[in-house]
């Protein structure tokens, strides 16, 4: 294909930004135009990503739709391309953004044009992360996403928005400094930042541990792994609904993608060496943050801690180094992106009506909001991994992969499945069932048209992926197999060298 389709995909949201910047008129006109332009732009981006999906060759692990242009002398090239792993995250991003825009009119009441500009900028940067085939380009997209998210939390967030925005920014920026140092070292040592070339060479074992730690410092914070997870609950609680949706659905997945693409791809020996550390941190995240979630009184904070636990499954699956674990982790990230987005939307629905996220302020919602209660229950079931929902497939594959690696690791991880059912169903019971104890609930209306439109696609996807997971698994099959095979070849090669 001669058409630079990936560049069009990545930068199309900026066209929408251009129109929004130059929109003039009264407040009502700007609001209506901003929503319409942003929605049309995001839907066109979704159509292009679907076009790429249908034209993607699933029978090969090679990077496809590759584009390369020299940018800064011989140091940095603009190079993009995708494999099956990249593609599913592109689709996820393209689905989530228009849903955020549809729900924005309920969650953002002031300066909506600037808010939507930030959302569209985020879309460009997130798509760029999943398409980058140059380490420096990846770093630019990866870190530039901090700026619009910082603004989203800091300007449109809750009462403690400034504190939460700076905490988010400083945590993630600090970790990324070490990744930048590692990237610069790779260039001077190996003369290239081309991801395809670097994946084909064997980075010297004496450097791998230090380079792995450099990347780990950034990815661990953004995942987020215990104990550097504390910025996430604050960010989620203070962010507007759309900000929480993007943060949970996509931003956390960028780090998981980085672990797959770079940590085990470029530094296999170091990944094997540090695997016990990952297992320990992952299991602590699964068990500890699940117990913390049980103690929460704020719905948003409870879902935020559940995200840390679910991402613990993801990191565990990646570092068991087998196909079940890897495919389970990718599937889990896609599923969590859909389900967590839906859960935050559900919290946003009642928050817009009640202006409270405290579980104790609710009870008996099913009597006044039956459709809402039904959809909320579907997402709760998907979150706890009920068979027939998307959440089951990822966790099941990860546990199979973990059992193949070490049955004790799988046993500890499996406790997270039980704990997730405890905190999720406990929250649902107190919010939805029981007697109406708050008079404000008597005046609540069920889902409106805009809310139904934003939630229904997520319901369909969560159930569809649970019933027919091959939509994802067929797309990532060749690429994930190639990642594991390349990892094993490099490990065996190092063993031979050492002997």
């Amino acid at each position: 294909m001669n058409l630079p389709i990936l560049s069009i995909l990545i930068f199309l949201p900026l066209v929408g930004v251009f129109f929004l910047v130059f929109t003039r008129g009264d407040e009502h006109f700007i609001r209506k135009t901003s929503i319409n332009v942003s929605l049309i732009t995001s839907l066109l981006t979704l159509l292009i990503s679907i076009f790429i999906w249908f034209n993607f060759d699933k029978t090969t692990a090679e990077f496809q739709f590759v584009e390369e242009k020299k940018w800064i002398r011989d140091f940095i090239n603009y190079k993009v391309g995708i494999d099956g792993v990249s593609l599913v995250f592109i689709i996820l991003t393209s689905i989530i953004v228009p849903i955020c825009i549809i729900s924005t009119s309920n969650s953002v009441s002031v300066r909506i044009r600037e808010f939507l500009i930030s959302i569209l900028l985020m879309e460009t940067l997130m798509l760029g992360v999943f398409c980058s085939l140059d380490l420096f380009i990846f770093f630019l997209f990866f870190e530039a996403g901090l700026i619009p998210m910082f603004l989203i939390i800091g300007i449109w967030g809750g009462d403690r928005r400034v504190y939460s925005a700076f905490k988010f920014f400083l945590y993630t920026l600090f970790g990324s400094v070490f990744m930048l140092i590692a990237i610069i070292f790779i260039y001077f040592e190996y003369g290239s930042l081309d991801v395809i070339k670097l994946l084909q060479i064997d980075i010297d074992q004496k450097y791998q541990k230090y380079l792995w730690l450099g990347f780990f410092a950034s990815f661990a914070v953004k995942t987020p792994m215990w104990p550097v997870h504390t910025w996430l609950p604050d960010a989620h609680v203070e962010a507007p609904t759309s900000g929480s949706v993007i943060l949970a659905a996509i931003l956390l997945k960028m780090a998981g993608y980085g672990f797959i693409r770079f940590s085990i791809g470029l530094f296999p020996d170091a990944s094997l060496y540090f695997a016990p550390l990952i297992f320990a941190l992952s299991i602590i995240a699964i068990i500890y943050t699940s117990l913390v979630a049980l103690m929460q009184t704020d719905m948003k904070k409870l879902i935020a801690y559940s995200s840390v636990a679910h991402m613990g499954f993801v990191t565990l699956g990646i570092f068991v180094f087998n196909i079940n674990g890897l495919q389970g982790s990718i599937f889990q990230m896609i599923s969590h992106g859909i389900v967590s987005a839906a859960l935050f939307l559900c919290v946003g629905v009642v928050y817009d009506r009640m202006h409270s996220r405290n579980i104790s302020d609710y009870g008996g919602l099913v009597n006044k909001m039956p459709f809402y209660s039904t959809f909320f229950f579907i997402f709760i079931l998907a979150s706890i991994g009920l068979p027939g929902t998307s959440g089951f497939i990822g966790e099941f594959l990860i546990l199979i992969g973990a059992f193949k690696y070490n049955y004790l690791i799988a046993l500890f991880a499996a406790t997270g499945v039980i704990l997730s059912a405890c905190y999720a169903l406990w929250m649902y019971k107190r919010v939805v069932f029981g007697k109406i104890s708050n008079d404000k609930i008597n005046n609540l209306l069920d889902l409106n048209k805009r809310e139904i439109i934003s939630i229904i696609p997520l319901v369909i996807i969560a159930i569809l992926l649970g019933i027919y997971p091959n939509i994802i698994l067929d797309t990532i099959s060749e690429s994930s197999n190639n990642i594991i095979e390349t990892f094993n070849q490099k490990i065996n090669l190092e063993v031979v060298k050492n002997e």
Side-chain angles (χ1 to χ4, degrees):
M1 183 179 293
N2 295 324
L3 192 68
I5 191 69
L6 289 184
S7 292
I8 294 173
L9 174 75
I10 294 169
F11 296 109
L12 178 60
L14 296 185
V15 177
V17 170
F18 177 83
F19 278 101
L20 293 184
V21 168
F22 292 100
T23 299
R24 296 291 181 268
D26 59 31
E27 184 178 346
H28 175 74
F29 177 80
I30 289 177
R31 182 180 184 85
K32 184 177 180 181
T33 303
S34 297
I35 293 175
N36 290 338
V37 169
S38 301
L39 184 58
I40 291 170
T41 304
S42 63
L43 289 175
L44 287 174
T45 304
L46 175 59
L47 289 175
I48 293 173
S49 66
I50 292 172
F51 172 82
I52 293 171
W53 188 25
F54 279 109
N55 286 273
F56 182 81
D57 184 0
K58 299 177 184 177
T59 63
T60 177
E62 299 294 325
F63 287 96
Q64 301 174 43
F65 308 106
V66 175
E67 305 168 29
E68 184 172 12
K69 298 288 182 183
K70 286 189 177 181
W71 183 26
I72 302 177
R73 305 180 68 121
D74 294 328
F75 176 47
I76 302 170
N77 291 332
Y78 169 78
K79 187 171 184 178
V80 293
I82 60 171
D83 64 355
V85 176
S86 311
L87 179 57
V88 292
F89 289 107
I90 289 171
I91 297 293
L92 174 66
T93 304
S94 301
I95 290 172
I96 292 297
V97 171
I99 289 174
C100 286
I101 293 170
I102 292 170
S103 66
T104 291
S105 62
N106 293 329
S107 60
V108 177
S109 57
V110 296
R111 301 179 69 177
I112 193 168
R113 174 174 58 179
E114 290 80 2
F115 181 84
L116 292 172
I117 286 173
S118 299
I119 293 290
L120 292 177
L121 283 173
M122 281 295 303
E123 182 170 25
T124 282
L125 298 170
M126 293 182 298
L127 290 170
V129 165
F130 299 125
C131 294
S132 296
L133 289 180
D134 181 276
L135 279 179
F136 194 80
I137 296 296
F138 171 82
F139 179 81
L140 286 180
F141 282 123
F142 192 78
E143 293 309 309
L146 294 178
I147 300 171
M149 183 52 69
F150 173 81
L151 296 175
I152 288 171
I153 298 171
I155 296 175
W156 293 277
D159 295 336
R160 299 175 71 245
R161 58 185 178 273
V162 175
Y163 166 79
S164 299
F166 274 98
K167 188 175 183 180
F168 158 74
F169 190 86
L170 293 175
Y171 260 72
T172 51
L173 183 65
F174 177 76
S176 297
V177 169
F178 297 99
M179 182 168 72
L180 178 60
I181 294 171
I183 289 172
I184 294 172
F185 179 86
I186 289 172
Y187 175 76
F188 283 107
E189 184 66 25
Y190 296 97
S192 177
L193 295 176
D194 187 316
V195 172
I196 295 178
K197 292 180 181 177
L198 291 173
L199 288 172
Q200 293 171 347
I201 67 174
D202 296 318
I203 293 178
D204 198 317
Q205 198 170 8
K206 66 183 179 182
Y207 301 135
Q208 281 198 31
K209 293 178 184 177
Y210 303 106
L211 295 174
W212 188 93
L213 287 172
F215 279 77
F216 174 75
S218 180
F219 297 153
V221 173
K222 274 228 176 89
T223 302
M225 299 183 71
W226 183 89
V228 289
H229 67 288
T230 56
W231 63 267
L232 184 68
D234 289 325
H236 271 311
V237 167
E238 299 305 324
T241 299
S242 298
S244 291
V245 168
I246 287 182
L247 184 59
I250 308 169
L251 277 189
L252 304 188
K253 312 308 178 289
M254 287 161 43
Y257 174 80
F259 274 128
I260 295 170
R261 179 70 70 218
F262 304 114
S263 294
I264 69 174
L266 299 180
F267 319 119
D269 296 285
S271 295
L272 193 63
Y273 178 83
F274 287 110
L277 171 66
I278 297 292
F279 297 149
L281 296 181
S282 299
I283 290 171
I284 291 172
I286 291 169
I287 298 175
Y288 170 73
T289 56
S290 293
L291 293 173
V292 173
L294 275 168
M295 303 300 295
Q296 298 307 309
T297 58
D298 184 303
M299 286 188 283
K300 252 192 170 185
K301 190 166 279 191
L302 186 151
I303 297 170
Y305 277 110
S306 77
S307 292
V308 179
H310 283 104
M311 291 304 292
F313 275 100
V314 169
T315 50
L316 179 68
I318 292 171
F319 284 88
V320 295
F321 309 119
N322 58 51
I323 193 63
N324 296 121
L326 181 61
Q327 290 188 349
S329 293
I330 297 169
F331 199 101
Q332 175 76 344
M333 283 192 276
I334 300 300
S335 171
H336 181 262
I338 297 297
V339 175
S340 64
L343 289 173
F344 280 115
L345 285 175
C346 287
V347 174
V349 166
V350 291
Y351 180 78
D352 291 336
R353 290 160 169 77
M354 297 275 289
H355 302 291
S356 173
R357 294 183 298 267
N358 289 326
I359 296 172
S360 59
D361 290 338
Y362 293 89
L365 279 183
V366 69
N367 299 298
K368 296 296 179 179
M369 303 176 70
F371 286 110
Y372 168 83
S373 301
T374 301
F375 291 145
F376 194 14
F377 189 54
I378 292 172
F379 297 127
I380 289 291
L381 294 179
S383 176
I384 65 179
L386 185 78
T389 65
S390 60
F392 171 75
I393 306 298
E395 289 184 359
F396 182 69
L397 289 173
I398 289 169
L399 290 175
I400 289 177
F403 188 85
K404 288 182 177 179
Y405 190 91
N406 186 303
Y407 73 92
L408 283 177
I409 292 174
L411 180 63
F412 282 116
T415 61
V417 178
I418 301 170
L419 291 172
S420 69
C422 293
Y423 61 70
L425 292 174
W426 172 79
M427 176 185 70
Y428 185 82
K429 173 184 176 293
R430 296 186 64 189
V431 170
V432 174
F433 294 121
K435 295 181 179 179
I436 298 176
S437 57
N438 189 334
D439 291 337
K440 292 182 179 179
I441 293 177
N442 288 312
N443 300 320
L444 296 185
L445 298 176
D446 211 342
L447 297 174
N448 59 39
K449 184 178 178 181
R450 184 180 294 275
E451 291 163 346
I452 291 173
I453 291 173
S454 63
I455 289 177
I456 281 291
L458 301 178
V459 173
I460 294 171
I461 295 171
I463 295 175
L464 180 62
L465 293 183
I467 296 172
Y468 189 66
N470 285 345
I471 296 174
I472 300 296
L473 297 178
D474 287 347
T475 304
I476 66 174
S477 177
E478 290 297 324
S479 299
S480 54
N481 274 308
N482 181 66
I483 290 170
I484 295 299
E485 289 173 4
T486 304
F487 174 86
N488 290 331
Q489 289 172 2
K490 288 184 176 181
I491 292 297
N492 291 334
L493 183 62
E494 288 298 330
V495 170
V496 171
K497 285 182 180 179
N498 292 334
E499 289 177 352

